Every structure is written in structure tokens, then in C-alpha cells.
Amino acid sequence: MENLEKCMTDDQKKLLAEFETKVRKLMFTCQTLQTENKELMRQLLEKEEEIQIAKNEISSLNTKYENLKIARIISVKQDDINGAKQRLSKLVREVDKCIALLNE
């Protein structure tokens, strides 16, 4: 390498130095980008995990919501049944009163 440098002109030495500087800068940029890429990949995996947790929670909440809707429908039906029983009981009492009045 020393022999090669002795044969080189000043312009060639300057070009070689610039080339070495640019190569070093390129290598540094490459390392920086690789580090940044690793960090971004880590963040991506973290976000994917968060998304999966959120999806699981949404699924769970949807199931609970559907169960609540069913429970409400059953409750409304139960109220309807109770109301119907009360109306029927009232009608039976009125019929009994009518029968009692007719028997007098």
C-alpha cells in the first residue's frame, strides 16, 4: 500500500481520502439505519401485541354485550309474563265478582 501511495499524485491521494471518508460515512449511516430498523421492528411487534390484546378485549366486550341483550330480552319477557298474570288474575276476580252478583 505504501508503494501505491508513493506512485499516487496529490490529486489521487485527495480523491482516495475523500472516497475513504465517504465509505466510512456510508458505513456509519448503514449501522445507524440498521439500529433504527431494529428499534422500529421492536416497536412494530409491541404494537401488534397491543392490537391483539385490544382485539381480544373487543371480542370479550361484544360477548358480554350480546349476553346483556339476551338478558334484557328475557327480563322484558318475564315482565310481560308477570303483567299478563296480573291482568289474568284481575279478569278472574272480575268474573268471580260477576258470578257472585248473579248468584245473589
Side-chain angles (χ1 to χ4, degrees):
M1 183 85 175
E2 276 184 36
N3 290 336
L4 183 62
E5 285 182 13
K6 288 181 184 178
C7 295
M8 294 174 68
T9 66
D10 288 339
D11 285 342
Q12 290 173 332
K13 289 179 184 178
K14 184 178 176 183
L15 285 173
L16 181 60
E18 288 176 11
F19 179 73
E20 287 176 352
T21 302
K22 288 181 180 181
V23 168
R24 284 191 181 103
K25 184 177 179 182
L26 183 62
M27 290 173 62
F28 176 76
T29 302
C30 183
Q31 288 174 346
T32 303
L33 289 174
Q34 286 175 339
T35 303
E36 183 180 347
N37 188 38
K38 286 179 185 177
E39 175 61 21
L40 290 172
M41 291 300 289
R42 184 194 64 75
Q43 289 177 7
L44 177 63
L45 289 174
E46 186 178 296
K47 295 303 178 189
E48 286 175 349
E49 288 176 6
E50 289 176 14
I51 288 170
Q52 189 58 46
I53 290 169
K55 283 181 179 180
N56 291 342
E57 187 174 347
I58 288 170
S59 177
S60 173
L61 290 172
N62 281 334
T63 301
K64 287 179 182 180
Y65 175 69
E66 289 299 320
N67 290 341
L68 285 173
K69 282 187 353 186
I70 292 169
R72 184 170 181 254
I73 290 169
I74 292 171
S75 173
V76 168
K77 286 184 180 181
Q78 187 63 37
D79 290 344
D80 288 346
I81 291 170
N82 290 338
K85 284 181 182 178
Q86 290 174 352
R87 288 190 300 274
L88 186 59
S89 293
K90 184 178 177 183
L91 287 172
V92 168
R93 283 192 303 272
E94 288 180 19
V95 168
D96 285 344
K97 285 180 188 177
C98 290
I99 292 173
L101 287 174
L102 288 174
N103 288 334
E104 288 182 4

